[in-house]
């Protein structure tokens, strides 16, 4: 397996995720590699209908944000494994993860059997 190629794919995906998360959240200044959704400012003087819309919008964007963050953590974990020379090993059984699986998902943490 070409680990360097996988690393490039992961770095590219990390950049994409960071820019997506940057649209609806921000980097947590106190925890490295941690992100948090930015809460929309609900103005005190906004009427109740506007406020309800804002809350719905916020709930949707924080759900999207959570998905992005889960994926982001997987990508970071895969990159860390490459650094340690432990890339492509199933986290459940310790056997090599199938190359076909890694080709589809470079951040796959487990083999096909244990996904
Ligand atoms: Zn396995």
């Amino acid at each position: 397996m070409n680990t360097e190629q996988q690393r490039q794919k992961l770095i590219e995906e990390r950049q994409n995720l960071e820019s997506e998360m940057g649209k609806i959240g921000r980097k947590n200044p106190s925890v490295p590699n941690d992100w948090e959704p930015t809460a929309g400012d609900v103005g005190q003087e906004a009427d109740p209908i506007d406020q309800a819309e804002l809350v719905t919008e916020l709930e949707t964007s924080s759900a999207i944000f959570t998905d992005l963050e889960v994926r982001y953590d997987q990508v970071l974990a895969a990159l860390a494994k490459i650094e340690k020379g432990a890339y492509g090993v199933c986290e459940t059984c310790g056997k090599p993860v199938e190359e076909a699986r890694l080709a589809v998902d470079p951040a796959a943490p487990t083999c096909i059997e244990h996904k």
Side-chain angles (χ1 to χ4, degrees):
M1 183 190 8
N2 187 338
T3 310
E4 182 52 30
Q5 204 175 26
Q6 297 296 99
R7 201 171 78 90
Q8 292 303 328
K9 281 198 231 172
L10 287 162
I11 287 171
E12 203 175 295
E13 188 171 354
R14 183 180 64 185
Q15 278 168 351
N16 289 339
L17 287 165
E18 282 181 353
S19 82
E20 286 302 307
M21 287 194 296
K23 288 178 196 164
I24 52 174
R26 66 186 179 105
K27 251 184 169 148
N28 186 336
S30 46
V31 185
N33 290 327
D34 192 46
W35 288 67
E36 57 194 15
T38 42
D41 287 325
V42 182
Q44 294 291 331
E45 70 280 15
D47 70 61
I49 294 163
D50 283 351
Q51 294 214 9
E53 272 174 16
L54 257 173
V55 168
T56 311
E57 218 170 87
L58 195 63
E59 277 168 1
T60 310
S61 81
S62 69
I64 296 168
F65 189 84
T66 304
D67 288 347
L68 289 170
E69 204 178 18
V70 166
R71 181 64 191 163
Y72 184 69
D73 286 343
Q74 278 180 358
V75 169
L76 288 189
L79 283 166
K81 283 185 204 168
I82 290 175
E83 297 299 318
K84 284 190 287 183
Y87 179 70
V89 176
C90 173
E91 282 182 356
T92 304
C93 66
K95 288 182 191 159
V97 179
E98 293 80 358
E99 286 199 23
R101 177 153 159 74
L102 290 172
V104 177
D105 179 4
T110 58
C111 68
I112 290 171
E113 197 186 327
H114 296 114
K115 73 173 174 183

